[in-house]
Amino acid sequence: MTHDFFVMLSKSWGLFYLIFLFGIAVAYALWPANKEKFDRAAKSIFHDQDEK
Amino acid sequence: MTFDFSPAERDAAIGTSFVAILIGVVMMVSSQSAAFTTHGAMFFAFGVLAFFGFAKDYNKPQAQPYSRDVYYDTPIKLGILLSIAWAIFGFFIGDWVAWLLAYPDLTFDAAWSSFGRIRPAHTTAVIFGFGGNALMATSFHVVQRTCRTSLPGRYGPIFILLGYNLFCLLAVTGYFLGVTQSKEYAEPEWYADILLTVVWVGYFFVFLNTLARREEKHIYVANWYYIAFIVVVALLHIVNNLAVPVSFGDTKSYSAFSGVQDAMTQWWYGHNAVAFFLTAGFLGMMYYYLPKAAGRPIFSYRMSIISFWGITFMYMWAGSHHLHYTALPHWVQTLGMTFSIVLLVPSWASAGNALLTLNGAWDKVRDNATLRFMMVAAVFYGLSTFEGSFLAIRPVNSLSHYTDWTIGHVHSGALGWVAFITFGAIYSVVPQLWKRERMYSPALVEVHFWLALAGTVIYVFAMWNSGIIQGLMWRTYSENGTLTYSFIESLEAMHPYYIARAVGGLLFLMGGLVCAYNVWKTISSSKIVGRVSTSPDGVLEGAA
């Protein structure tokens, strides 16, 4: 657990883990099957009146 | 305003009032300093007031028993009113600080009113008082509406709001008394920090519990931003405030960190406070109230998801740009600079998403000052995030650091973005909550809009000018290699800009007063509609 170890960790694996997370987020957002769900969600705020 | 608690919640409310009284007594008995005694007395008084407030309705029958189908709006109303009250106080103190910088005699020879004490009173009042209460109130509003379910209980959210405001009061009065741990935006001392931790964990559970009860399968994106705000602020607050008090009867404590580690922890906190308190939460506000007022769904829901994860993961690394040219290792500075530049992508994706949502609704932006507040907020969000990425570049920072440019940048974000989106949300939500057809005076909303915009533009331009002049004067060398200007000369050069800044701040304060008056008249007017009517495209007619 030295300083050099943490520097190595953040400079190498830190990069890969962020790219990996970015990949997951983009795949989730752009997955064709999710389109309908997102469209519905975007319009959902117009149906929430004070009385349910 | 009645809380309408269940019998068990009434007991819990009375019980926690006694706990506050007890904490106050213990603090006063064990106190070794006058400031600590004062804060003990404040806990005590707060507990007594809460006790009488809750005891008043103890035997009243419950008007509306708890049901998932009935939204609980009392904490939202309370939060909005507290937010406006803190706004007026915070803007007033802020403008006082501004005049004080132009005319140093305005401390009136008192210790409590010196710059070092009223400046954090201003920042805490506007960020935590005005911003925090508005975030809590709108989060309770948005989460109930988008999840189509009620808050999980009634005392929880009220406890959170009251506890949070006690924290803000302890913080601000502490500064006047000279109590501070000297960490920017984390000035309150250990006992106030413990109170905030308890409150915040409660907030986290109430919010998650509401989401767990949702009747809508997908969690609307605004809630994601609110969750990020709640989770990350908890994390930041706990880690940055790790400290050991010198005694349990004294205000003073020492940080668990020292030297450059302390500085890095503080700016990891400080920049993420900007990111998750002043950005993520307010983006949550924007993603709900802006499309709602425009009557159009968000331009790209997919882009809102990608920018959410971009903002969440990249902001965490940007804090070290506050420590350029310090003892912090060079590579850590470079890391912060790099992430700050990349952050422009999700930031502009969010700002662009908001503005593109308005395509097809520009006539509403023209006619409706509430929506115009939110449009200007998106523009300033884009401007200040661009400026932020730019200032984080190390050589640029060598010119801007320690100058008024930073103050200008912060206010372009805090006034132009945070306050504008908040006022947009307030004008949307007030008629809806108090069941009025619209705000008392749409003309006054218009007046507020132009006062706020003029104030912000004057403020930001004044600080850009003074900051860049300062930076240049501090680095101008003569032929002999000595500094051309003394510090006092740069100070004299600032004087006209400081007056301009104070005038800008005054306009902004006047706008806040107009808002408070309008909200007051809206609430006290007798015109109640049975149901908030919506036009066919879903625009709240009352939001004009």
Side-chain angles (χ1 to χ4, degrees):
Chain A
M1 288 291 169
T2 61
H3 174 74
D4 286 338
F5 172 76
F6 279 110
V7 172
M8 187 274 289
L9 200 71
S10 43
K11 282 183 175 175
S12 56
W13 297 108
L15 175 73
F16 291 125
Y17 118 89
L18 280 173
I19 290 178
F20 179 69
L21 285 171
F22 176 72
I24 293 178
V26 170
Y28 171 71
L30 298 183
W31 207 263
N34 285 341
K35 186 180 182 337
E36 200 200 333
K37 176 167 78 177
F38 295 152
D39 286 345
R40 214 171 341 109
K43 293 195 187 89
S44 69
I45 55 168
F46 301 115
H47 313 301
D48 56 351
Q49 285 321 305
D50 270 3
E51 293 97 52
K52 295 200 318 154
Chain B
M1 200 175 289
T2 64
F3 299 121
D4 209 20
F5 294 147
S6 70
E9 285 173 326
R10 289 172 196 199
D11 291 336
I14 299 286
T16 33
S17 309
F18 276 117
V19 172
I21 292 171
L22 193 66
I23 292 172
V25 170
V26 170
M27 281 176 76
M28 284 191 284
V29 169
S30 67
S31 172
Q32 292 166 16
S33 75
F36 201 73
T37 310
T38 309
H39 278 170
M42 281 174 63
F43 256 101
F44 181 83
F46 201 85
V48 171
L49 285 175
F51 171 78
F52 283 114
F54 292 135
K56 179 170 58 78
D57 293 339
Y58 190 80
N59 289 319
K60 242 191 192 170
Q62 197 175 16
Q64 174 91 60
Y66 179 82
S67 149
R68 283 191 191 196
D69 293 341
V70 182
Y71 295 141
Y72 186 50
D73 287 346
T74 309
I76 311 172
K77 292 179 178 175
L78 185 62
I80 293 288
L81 296 179
L82 286 166
S83 171
I84 295 171
W86 278 108
I88 302 301
F89 174 74
F91 297 167
F92 170 74
I93 299 281
D95 202 41
W96 180 8
V97 180
W99 288 109
L100 175 63
L101 284 169
Y103 301 100
D105 286 337
L106 290 175
T107 58
F108 308 109
D109 272 340
W112 68 267
S113 56
S114 55
F115 176 82
R117 297 193 187 184
I118 61 174
R119 188 259 177 187
H122 160 64
T123 54
T124 298
V126 292
I127 298 173
F128 297 106
F130 169 51
N133 275 302
L135 283 170
M136 285 182 168
T138 56
S139 73
F140 291 145
H141 184 247
V142 170
V143 76
Q144 291 189 94
R145 266 59 181 184
T146 54
C147 293
R148 305 189 206 302
T149 191
S150 180
L151 293 170
R154 292 184 180 167
Y155 181 52
I158 299 293
F159 167 78
I160 292 163
L161 268 173
L162 294 180
Y164 180 73
N165 281 280
L166 176 59
F167 162 78
C168 294
L169 284 173
L170 289 173
V172 169
T173 53
Y175 310 147
F176 291 139
L177 295 165
V179 177
T180 175
Q181 58 177 6
S182 312
K183 288 185 165 220
E184 203 167 2
Y185 314 127
E187 292 92 347
E189 272 289 0
W190 61 275
Y191 48 97
D193 289 337
I194 293 173
L195 169 66
L196 183 61
T197 308
V198 172
V199 165
W200 211 263
V201 170
Y203 185 23
F204 177 65
F205 278 110
V206 165
F207 200 85
L208 280 197
N209 222 334
T210 317
L211 289 176
R213 290 155 177 258
R214 72 187 184 276
E215 288 184 14
E216 182 81 27
K217 200 165 158 244
H218 180 80
I219 301 175
Y220 186 67
V221 69
N223 296 309
W224 301 25
Y225 283 93
Y226 281 120
I227 298 170
F229 150 64
I230 298 168
V231 171
V232 177
V233 168
L235 186 73
L236 298 169
H237 172 73
I238 292 170
V239 174
N240 191 43
N241 287 302
L242 288 173
V244 183
V246 294
S247 125
F248 287 111
D250 201 283
T251 53
K252 181 79 191 129
S253 68
Y254 284 95
S255 171
F257 310 99
S258 63
V260 77
Q261 283 85 357
D262 187 43
M264 185 61 250
T265 310
Q266 157 60 22
W267 285 109
W268 166 77
Y269 165 88
H271 199 72
N272 283 308
V274 176
F276 289 90
F277 206 101
L278 294 174
T279 303
F282 291 95
L283 281 171
M285 229 184 244
M286 184 190 82
Y287 277 116
Y288 181 80
Y289 294 103
L290 184 139
K292 189 94 176 160
R296 299 174 61 82
I298 192 76
F299 169 73
S300 168
Y301 198 82
R302 287 172 155 172
M303 194 151 79
S304 74
I305 293 172
I306 297 174
S307 29
F308 171 80
W309 290 110
I311 284 171
T312 308
F313 278 98
M314 285 192 282
Y315 254 119
M316 277 287 161
W317 302 90
S320 57
H321 71 224
H322 288 259
L323 297 165
H324 281 326
Y325 302 102
T326 64
L328 192 74
H330 201 258
W331 72 268
V332 186
Q333 300 176 24
T334 309
L335 183 79
M337 175 175 93
T338 312
F339 272 100
S340 306
I341 295 167
V342 184
L343 258 173
L344 188 59
V345 178
S347 302
W348 273 29
S350 306
N353 212 348
L355 293 173
L356 288 167
T357 302
L358 297 173
N359 264 349
W362 288 103
D363 56 318
K364 287 181 189 157
V365 177
R366 182 193 59 210
D367 298 338
N368 179 338
T370 302
L371 184 56
R372 211 179 314 123
F373 262 109
M374 298 193 240
M375 184 276 287
V376 169
V379 171
F380 269 98
Y381 179 62
L383 286 175
S384 50
T385 48
F386 173 77
E387 193 184 28
S389 298
F390 184 61
L391 291 174
I393 300 169
R394 198 165 19 222
V396 179
N397 204 259
S398 77
L399 175 68
S400 73
H401 205 166
Y402 306 118
T403 74
D404 290 325
W405 194 351
T406 307
I407 323 299
H409 168 60
V410 169
H411 284 83
S412 136
L415 303 177
W417 154 238
V418 170
F420 267 71
I421 195 73
T422 305
F423 286 129
I426 288 175
Y427 287 129
S428 303
V429 93
V430 164
Q432 200 185 338
L433 288 177
W434 274 275
K435 311 226 183 308
R436 302 297 189 272
E437 210 173 296
R438 57 172 173 78
M439 286 301 294
Y440 164 73
S441 164
L444 286 180
V445 180
E446 200 69 50
V447 169
H448 179 194
F449 173 82
W450 290 108
L451 280 173
L453 185 60
T456 305
V457 171
I458 291 172
Y459 191 113
V460 172
F461 271 89
M463 290 296 98
W464 277 340
N465 276 297
S466 72
I468 292 170
I469 291 173
Q470 258 180 332
L472 292 175
M473 286 178 89
W474 293 346
R475 56 158 59 174
T476 304
Y477 291 91
S478 68
E479 283 172 4
N480 304 325
T482 59
L483 284 170
T484 307
Y485 302 102
S486 67
F487 184 78
I488 292 293
E489 281 173 311
S490 73
L491 200 62
E492 280 168 355
M494 298 308 101
H495 190 66
Y497 302 111
Y498 283 4
I499 294 172
R501 180 247 302 267
V503 170
L506 185 62
L507 295 180
F508 207 85
L509 167 64
M510 285 160 61
L513 289 168
V514 170
C515 172
Y517 174 76
N518 206 356
V519 168
W520 176 250
K521 292 296 276 186
T522 308
I523 296 170
S524 55
S525 75
S526 54
K527 235 169 71 183
I528 296 176
V529 290
R531 181 194 160 89
V532 176
S533 56
T534 50
S535 57
D537 59 358
V539 184
L540 273 174
E541 283 174 352

